[in-house]
Amino acid sequence: SRARSRGAAGAALLPSMLMFGVILASSGLLLMIERGILAQVGPPPLHPPAGLSRRDGRDSPAELELEVLRDTRNRTIRALCGQRSMPRSVWELPPGQRRTVLRHLLVSDKYRFLYCYVPKVACSNWKRILKVLDGALESVDVQGKMDHKSDLVFLGDMKPEEISYRLKHYYKFIFVRNPMERLLSAYRNKFGEIKEYQQKYGVEIVRRYRKNGGNSAGDDVSFSEFLQYLLDEDVERMNEHWMPIYNLCQPCAVRYDFIGSYERLHADANHVLEHIQSPSFVRFPERQAWYKPVTAQTLHYYLCNTQRRLIKELLPKYILDFSLFAYPLPNITSEFCRQ
């Protein structure tokens, strides 16, 4: 009976997020969102699944929850990536997708690791760390605008045999974030603060989706207009700041050794730094004083003041990010938004 009990626990924990893969292939996605069914899928249960132990019996609830979350992500990725149609290596990807992922894999030959950077998931700080490890930057605390190109080594700039060797032998990691929170962060940053993005994307978005919007400087793009633009945009042609993480880093073609999360940024970053045996003086930078984080309340406000149709129609484009990395779909039910 104990064996049956352990099996039942494992089956119960087989990620609730796995249901997303099934839903994605059906026509029932929008109906389930409309009825609030998917929005009610919460974090994984707190008890450990079969195969996970409490070690000395004194694990804290937070540690157990983290262990379950990582197990959920690993199981989901294995289940999806085990499908015959999914790529087994970067060489099985179409040329455009291969270029994208190789352009986002940063290399440290000295410490033998590959980091797939995802914009709006603390990638600037990770790039600072890579520059410090390589000796191009004195400290992670050096002030000044981050140069996202110089003093960094990209896997895509290497020869095929060099690429294959590093993919096979180097430690590979990635950091992920709640997809809607990441989109909101990109929206507020790029259209609220960066003139280059206002001129390049904002002007076009307003012109396309607003009557008499030809006089806009691109600095007044609404969140709804931004989401409509994403809905109409081809995923493969998206700007990297709002391209789905799956498309940027291809977790089926690249088998990552560690998936860190924005929600546990410093703890997960320290885990990586310890694993690669970085010098003790190298630490993950603290958040800049000027940075305005996206809070749960801010996300709630934006989502509940946006047409539900837009959010529901946009979710399938980001469904793999939600499901693979175990993030619940946003709750946009009328009951929740009235709170």
Side-chain angles (χ1 to χ4, degrees):
S1 69
R2 261 194 220 112
R4 281 198 303 272
S5 177
R6 284 197 300 269
L13 193 70
L14 264 178
S16 58
M17 298 301 172
L18 274 175
M19 66 187 287
F20 291 141
V22 177
I23 295 165
L24 180 60
S26 73
S27 59
L29 175 63
L30 299 185
L31 177 62
M32 294 185 76
I33 297 171
E34 176 67 35
R35 293 179 177 175
I37 296 173
L38 293 185
Q40 296 168 12
V41 178
L46 213 51
H47 58 79
L52 296 183
S53 65
R54 284 179 169 269
R55 294 184 293 276
D56 61 0
R58 294 195 297 270
D59 288 359
S60 70
E63 288 172 334
L64 285 174
E65 185 172 4
L66 174 62
E67 196 171 2
V68 168
L69 174 62
R70 287 178 175 161
D71 183 72
T72 299
R73 286 175 174 166
N74 290 336
R75 287 172 183 249
T76 310
I77 290 173
R78 283 199 302 269
L80 177 76
C81 298
Q83 302 298 313
R84 288 184 180 180
S85 59
M86 302 306 289
R88 298 293 196 277
S89 75
V90 296
W91 308 116
E92 294 183 16
L93 294 170
Q97 294 180 22
R98 183 165 61 247
R99 280 194 299 272
T100 296
V101 64
L102 293 181
R103 195 168 58 232
H104 285 82
L105 281 164
L106 294 171
V107 183
S108 172
D109 283 327
K110 184 176 181 180
Y111 290 91
R112 296 176 65 84
F113 69 78
L114 301 177
Y115 158 60
C116 187
Y117 79 86
V118 178
K120 308 312 300 176
V121 191
C123 74
S124 293
N125 281 338
W126 272 114
K127 288 176 180 178
R128 289 180 189 275
I129 287 176
L130 263 80
K131 292 186 178 190
V132 171
L133 291 175
D134 196 44
L137 199 64
E138 182 180 344
S139 166
V140 295
D141 297 319
V142 172
Q143 298 298 313
K145 186 177 180 180
M146 165 61 65
D147 187 329
H148 291 267
K149 297 296 181 183
S150 67
D151 300 317
L152 293 169
V153 179
F154 297 83
L155 193 61
D157 293 333
M158 296 183 170
K159 298 176 182 178
E161 60 271 19
E162 296 173 328
I163 292 173
S164 294
Y165 177 84
R166 285 161 178 78
L167 285 170
K168 182 177 181 180
H169 296 287
Y170 281 19
Y171 180 72
K172 298 173 288 294
F173 68 94
I174 179 180
F175 274 71
V176 299
R177 186 178 187 178
N178 180 298
M180 291 307 299
E181 184 180 306
R182 177 174 169 249
L183 288 182
L184 179 55
S185 178
Y187 163 76
R188 293 190 355 169
N189 174 238
K190 300 308 175 187
F191 298 106
E193 302 171 3
I194 312 297
K195 192 170 184 178
E196 176 188 350
Y197 277 77
Q198 294 168 0
Q199 294 175 342
K200 183 175 181 179
Y201 295 98
V203 170
E204 170 61 21
I205 290 173
V206 172
R207 185 195 64 77
R208 189 186 300 183
Y209 300 112
R210 190 185 306 172
K211 290 182 179 180
N212 305 318
N215 295 324
S216 171
D219 58 351
D220 59 344
V221 176
S222 71
F223 189 56
S224 293
E225 290 169 337
F226 174 58
L227 295 189
Q228 184 64 59
Y229 167 72
L230 296 181
L231 185 58
D232 294 339
E233 188 77 349
D234 180 0
V235 169
E236 297 299 330
R237 297 178 180 274
M238 282 184 176
N239 179 277
E240 62 177 9
H241 289 85
W242 42 81
M243 182 181 283
I245 297 174
Y246 178 88
N247 298 81
L248 288 173
C249 295
Q250 296 290 343
C252 288
V254 178
R255 301 303 172 94
Y256 293 97
D257 300 290
F258 183 76
I259 299 175
S261 64
Y262 190 81
E263 296 74 25
R264 283 182 45 89
L265 184 57
H266 278 81
D268 285 352
N270 288 336
H271 172 86
V272 172
L273 292 174
E274 288 177 11
H275 184 91
I276 65 173
Q277 298 182 342
S278 69
S280 58
F281 70 87
V282 177
R283 54 175 177 74
F284 198 81
E286 295 296 327
R287 178 182 290 165
Q288 299 292 325
W290 50 263
Y291 181 74
K292 299 177 182 178
V294 174
T295 64
Q297 291 77 14
T298 307
L299 184 62
H300 176 274
Y301 173 82
Y302 274 91
L303 293 181
C304 288
N305 284 279
T306 300
Q307 297 176 47
R308 278 196 275 174
R309 173 194 65 82
L310 277 177
I311 298 172
K312 286 185 282 186
E313 292 180 4
L314 185 63
L315 286 179
K317 281 196 171 181
Y318 293 88
I319 197 69
L320 289 177
D321 285 2
F322 281 106
S323 59
L324 288 181
F325 307 127
Y327 286 109
L329 291 178
N331 191 338
I332 52 172
T333 60
S334 299
E335 180 182 357
F336 180 74
C337 286
R338 277 197 299 267
Q339 296 176 6

